[in-house]
Amino acid sequence: MTETPEKLPSEPPERPDRHERDDSADTERDTIALPSHVAGSGTLDRLVETARDYARQAASENTLKAYTKDWAHFARWCRMRGADPLPSSSQLIGLYIADLAAPGGKARALSVSSIERRLSGLTWGYAQRGERLDRKDRHIASVLAGIRRKHARPPVQKEAILPEDLRDMLATLPHDLRGLRDRAILLIGFAGGLRRSEIVSLDHGKDDTPDSGGWVEILEGGVLLTLRGKTGWREVEIARGSSDQTCPVHALTQWLHYARIDFGPIFVATSRNGLKATGERLSDKHVARLIKSCAREAGLRPDLPEAERVRLFSGHSLRAGLASSAEVDERYVQKQLGHASAEMTRRYQRRRDRFRVNLTKAAGL
């Protein structure tokens, strides 16, 4: 009898407007092609396809999806106002971001960071279409500066999941195949300081799948992860823990053994009855939902209403928890999280001693 795969909860899909389809492939065909004065050949045509493949790898899949949505939103905004998104117009972009910051009607105003992300998406969209968007143009830069000054707020940080919190969360998981998987996700994500996209992109071995974001090697002392980051490959070492109950290496090996995974994606869905692992790679949204549900079941932050408690936790809570609780030299935490600067690492530390270095006294006051 065929087993029904685990149903992954998700938001209802949006019905795309037929005018707003993903045309990134079309723009790649338009912008990456042979010069008009060069005659085609089998060799050159093959190189064009190779160049297009590399162009598609220039940014992560999630980034490209976000940029595509940004362009679709801007194109729809233009059509509703009788304008055309092409060619690029800094005046039009200035009006667009002003509307994002202070929309009319019941539309929700976007945060400064979201508006800046939209601008990055539009810059990419215009580049794909052979156009250039100058974000330093006064029609854009001056409006954005005013938006920052009037609406900018300190970033809302997610709550860090500390070791004691993580133990409580692990205790809420069932002792079945699905529980083994989710236990491994939480422990590997915490000990590795991984992003949720990095967790679900892991494969058992190198080059197992085309969409792999890295692979694992289980060694005597722990697990070595090789991850593809924004600036290239990096290695993350996850050593064994002090007990099997909280050891990320033990949790991972248990999941791989009982799920019988020796090739392809590591973290996959299970059958509905929880007895068999499927080949379907989990979405990074599963990690976010897992963290929120376990935090709620574990009763973290009982001083707050449930809805507010759930909003406090996300995939970043695991990274913040490691950065806040690892009592080692800061540079080791920085390396584990893959940060280019110590300042970025400090943003993840929720309970560090901010006044350990007293420059006031050091200056003689």
Side-chain angles (χ1 to χ4, degrees):
M1 188 172 88
T2 303
E3 294 177 342
T4 306
E6 170 188 10
K7 186 175 181 181
L8 303 177
S10 60
E11 295 76 17
E14 296 181 0
R15 299 178 69 111
D17 189 298
R18 62 188 179 90
H19 299 295
E20 294 166 13
R21 60 185 179 88
D22 178 2
D23 57 353
S24 58
D26 291 341
T27 55
E28 280 172 5
R29 282 191 288 271
D30 293 340
T31 58
I32 302 177
L34 285 174
S36 57
H37 62 278
V38 176
S41 67
T43 301
L44 289 176
D45 291 343
R46 179 182 61 80
L47 288 176
V48 168
E49 288 302 319
T50 301
R52 288 172 181 166
D53 288 340
Y54 280 129
R56 283 189 284 270
Q57 299 298 321
S60 72
E61 183 180 354
N62 286 342
T63 299
L64 293 179
K65 286 181 179 178
Y67 284 173
T68 301
K69 288 182 179 179
D70 292 338
W71 179 265
H73 183 275
F74 173 62
R76 183 171 66 248
W77 182 89
C78 288
R79 284 195 300 273
M80 292 177 64
R81 288 155 182 80
D84 197 315
L86 293 170
S88 63
S89 166
S90 56
Q91 293 96 324
L92 191 62
I93 298 295
L95 298 178
Y96 174 65
I97 62 175
D99 194 33
L100 295 178
K106 298 181 179 179
R108 181 177 61 88
L110 294 189
S111 66
V112 175
S113 60
S114 295
I115 293 173
E116 290 175 336
R117 211 291 309 281
R118 287 279 177 93
L119 278 176
S120 297
L122 296 188
T123 302
W124 173 86
Y126 277 117
Q128 295 298 302
R129 293 158 177 80
E131 297 271 339
R132 179 176 179 271
L133 177 62
D134 183 10
R135 293 178 59 167
K136 295 183 179 180
D137 183 281
R138 63 184 181 87
H139 293 96
I140 300 175
S142 59
V143 174
L144 185 58
I147 292 173
R148 287 197 189 107
R149 183 169 184 177
K150 184 173 182 179
H151 299 294
R153 299 183 301 274
V156 178
Q157 293 185 319
K158 295 298 182 179
E159 190 88 354
I161 292 175
L162 302 176
E164 55 270 25
D165 301 325
L166 186 57
R167 291 188 186 94
D168 291 340
M169 291 169 64
L170 294 174
T172 69
L173 296 173
H175 295 283
D176 58 9
L177 193 60
R178 202 170 298 159
L180 285 178
R181 178 198 64 194
D182 291 343
R183 186 172 283 103
I185 286 175
L186 292 176
L187 286 169
I188 288 291
F190 180 91
L194 304 180
R195 299 172 179 87
R196 63 186 193 181
S197 59
E198 292 173 334
I199 297 172
V200 299
S201 70
L202 288 170
D203 274 6
H204 191 279
K206 182 181 180 182
D207 299 328
D208 277 0
T209 64
D211 61 339
S212 169
W215 66 92
V216 304
E217 295 176 74
I218 300 177
L219 308 174
E220 183 177 349
V223 172
L224 178 65
L225 309 181
T226 304
L227 300 172
R228 178 170 45 229
K230 295 180 179 179
T231 57
W233 294 94
R234 68 185 181 96
E235 291 184 342
V236 174
E237 300 173 3
I238 300 179
R240 297 183 183 272
S242 56
S243 70
D244 286 349
Q245 287 71 31
T246 57
C247 175
V249 183
H250 178 76
L252 179 61
T253 54
Q254 288 289 99
W255 158 246
L256 294 177
H257 172 73
Y258 286 104
R260 299 181 180 179
I261 294 175
D262 57 8
F263 182 85
I266 283 182
F267 294 115
V268 296
T270 64
S271 58
R272 189 178 295 274
N273 60 12
L275 298 178
K276 182 181 178 181
T278 71
E280 181 185 357
R281 188 189 300 275
L282 290 176
S283 162
D284 63 340
K285 291 181 180 179
H286 173 82
V287 180
R289 288 192 291 262
L290 173 64
I291 291 170
K292 289 177 181 295
S293 64
C294 287
R296 181 181 63 249
E297 293 297 322
L300 304 188
R301 293 301 305 270
D303 54 308
L304 299 174
E306 181 175 311
E308 191 173 340
R309 285 195 292 125
V310 171
R311 284 196 298 268
L312 277 179
F313 298 96
S314 74
H316 271 69
S317 296
L318 294 177
R319 285 165 63 79
L322 178 72
S324 302
S325 56
E327 300 292 339
V328 296
D329 191 292
E330 192 176 73
R331 68 179 185 273
Y332 296 115
V333 179
Q334 179 183 339
K335 180 179 182 296
Q336 190 81 340
L337 270 61
H339 288 155
S341 67
E343 180 57 37
M344 177 59 72
T345 302
R346 294 187 190 108
R347 296 182 188 178
Y348 283 77
Q349 296 172 328
R350 304 293 190 261
R351 60 180 190 184
R352 65 187 175 91
D353 185 357
R354 296 181 178 274
F355 302 103
R356 180 172 56 84
V357 178
N358 191 327
L359 293 180
T360 307
K361 289 184 179 179
L365 298 180

